[in-house]
Amino acid sequence: MSRSAAAMRALPMTFVVYAVEACLALLIALPLGLELLDDGRASFASALGRAAWLDRVAELLPALRLQSTSWLLHGALLLLVSPWLQMAWLHALAQPSGLGQALAVGAQRYLRAWLVTVWVLLLTALASAPFLLAASVLDNLLREGDARLHDLLLAAACLPLLLVWWAAHVLHDLARARALSAGAWAAVSGSLRLAVRPRAQLPAVLFAILALAVHGAAWLLVGRGTLDSRVPALAVWQLSCLLGLFLRSCWLACALACALACAQLSPTFRDEYE
């Protein structure tokens, strides 16, 4: 089955992921939103109103401190439920199944998904260590020299970290795809070479660029005041979030296809998910 067909088949699970993320975001954003609801919409419409908000920053500090705690709680909740949702999502992409079955499989693979994350984090830390060490040495050597040269060399030393972290992101998705049937370490070790090959990197980059384009278009429509009413603006934001998740499901379908095509893949996985 093609990647797009698998993504369409898994649309109910994609919508569940969207609904969970939207509900968590609503619960976290609601207190501050209610605090700003009285006159925020009108005052932000003009330069004078935006300047008046600067005078209210001190009054909003308690609400902002509470909101920072809420954001931490939001991140913790997402961290807790994301392995379950991703494994359920991958199962729905891998074969026809109902929502209940997909969520049940996700719950069964929950600890394995966490172990995959731990292994990927450890490997990422090991791969990042030489570049962080080089940055630390450069910082010590050039601390008394030209500040601009210091910053440029530090940026150059840290630039490969972006490639390391991107490869870790691709490895994480590939390993979790293989973790549907394989053990955590077997899934990670079996996906190491695949994570840097074009057959995995190209679709990952493509769908990431498409998702950024979707969110960027939504920002241009809403952030620049193209839409006059709040309801269309909210609809555009939510549609962009849903489309972004659909594009991510297309990439996860590609990750599953890469896992199926891997030469070291176990026959059990092929029999169950091919």
Side-chain angles (χ1 to χ4, degrees), residues 67-98:
Q67 188 67 16
S68 63
T69 305
S70 299
W71 286 334
L72 290 175
L73 178 62
H74 176 242
L77 287 174
L78 278 180
L79 196 64
L80 285 174
V81 302
S82 61
W84 172 40
L85 291 176
Q86 187 174 10
M87 298 307 291
W89 207 0
L90 285 165
H91 178 80
L93 288 164
Q95 64 181 23
S97 60

Side-chain angles (χ1 to χ4, degrees), residues 42-57:
S43 62
F44 273 116
S46 65
L48 183 61
R50 289 192 291 270
W53 270 105
L54 294 176
D55 296 332
R56 294 199 57 203
V57 170

Side-chain angles (χ1 to χ4, degrees), residues 2 8 60 111 163 165-166 208 217 234 238 261 274:
S2 68
M8 293 297 296
L60 295 174
L111 290 178
L163 298 177
W165 295 339
W166 172 255
L234 180 62
Q238 296 306 312
E274 191 169 24

Side-chain angles (χ1 to χ4, degrees), residues 188-232:
V188 174
S189 60
S191 303
L192 279 172
R193 292 183 179 178
L194 184 60
V196 295
R197 290 179 180 173
R199 66 182 305 173
Q201 285 290 331
L202 290 179
V205 171
L206 172 63
F207 287 115
I209 291 174
L210 289 175
L212 286 175
V214 167
H215 294 310
W219 180 84
L220 288 175
L221 285 173
V222 178
R224 295 192 174 184
T226 306
L227 302 174
D228 297 330
S229 174
R230 295 186 303 275
V231 174

Side-chain angles (χ1 to χ4, degrees), residues 3-273:
R3 303 353 173 221
S4 58
M8 293 297 296
R9 183 183 62 205
L11 266 179
M13 190 63 220
T14 303
F15 187 80
V16 168
V17 175
Y18 160 77
V20 170
E21 291 185 354
C23 289
L24 288 176
L26 177 64
L27 290 174
I28 299 305
L30 191 59
L32 186 61
L34 293 175
E35 183 74 21
L36 302 177
L37 187 61
D38 293 335
D39 57 345
R41 294 189 299 264
S43 62
F44 273 116
S46 65
L48 183 61
R50 289 192 291 270
W53 270 105
L54 294 176
D55 296 332
R56 294 199 57 203
V57 170
E59 302 174 19
L60 295 174
L61 283 178
L64 292 174
R65 282 195 294 266
L66 178 62
Q67 188 67 16
S68 63
T69 305
S70 299
W71 286 334
L72 290 175
L73 178 62
H74 176 242
L77 287 174
L78 278 180
L79 196 64
L80 285 174
V81 302
S82 61
W84 172 40
L85 291 176
Q86 187 174 10
M87 298 307 291
W89 207 0
L90 285 165
H91 178 80
L93 288 164
Q95 64 181 23
S97 60
L99 282 177
Q101 182 184 358
L103 292 171
V105 170
Q108 293 169 4
R109 306 293 194 274
Y110 182 80
L111 290 178
R112 187 183 297 175
W114 263 114
L115 287 174
V116 166
T117 301
V118 170
W119 280 118
V120 172
L121 286 176
L122 288 174
L123 291 174
T124 305
L126 288 174
S128 303
F131 304 107
L132 293 174
L133 181 61
S136 177
V137 171
L138 284 173
D139 181 54
N140 291 327
L141 290 176
L142 303 174
R143 185 172 298 174
E144 303 299 331
D146 181 66
R148 182 175 298 179
L149 179 62
H150 170 270
D151 294 342
L152 287 174
L153 289 177
L154 276 184
C158 293
L159 191 61
L161 288 174
L162 297 177
L163 298 177
V164 171
W165 295 339
W166 172 255
H169 161 70
V170 175
L171 172 63
H172 189 257
D173 286 340
L174 290 170
R176 278 194 170 174
R178 293 194 65 181
L180 282 171
S181 183
W185 172 243
V188 174
S189 60
S191 303
L192 279 172
R193 292 183 179 178
L194 184 60
V196 295
R197 290 179 180 173
R199 66 182 305 173
Q201 285 290 331
L202 290 179
V205 171
L206 172 63
F207 287 115
I209 291 174
L210 289 175
L212 286 175
V214 167
H215 294 310
W219 180 84
L220 288 175
L221 285 173
V222 178
R224 295 192 174 184
T226 306
L227 302 174
D228 297 330
S229 174
R230 295 186 303 275
V231 174
L234 180 62
V236 167
W237 275 123
Q238 296 306 312
L239 181 61
S240 71
C241 292
L242 188 56
L243 285 175
L245 287 174
F246 177 76
L247 290 170
R248 174 151 175 78
S249 73
C250 292
W251 151 240
L252 291 178
C254 292
L256 278 165
C258 289
L260 285 170
C262 185
Q264 298 176 354
L265 197 59
S266 65
T268 305
F269 191 96
R270 284 189 179 276
D271 294 341
E272 187 174 357
Y273 290 106

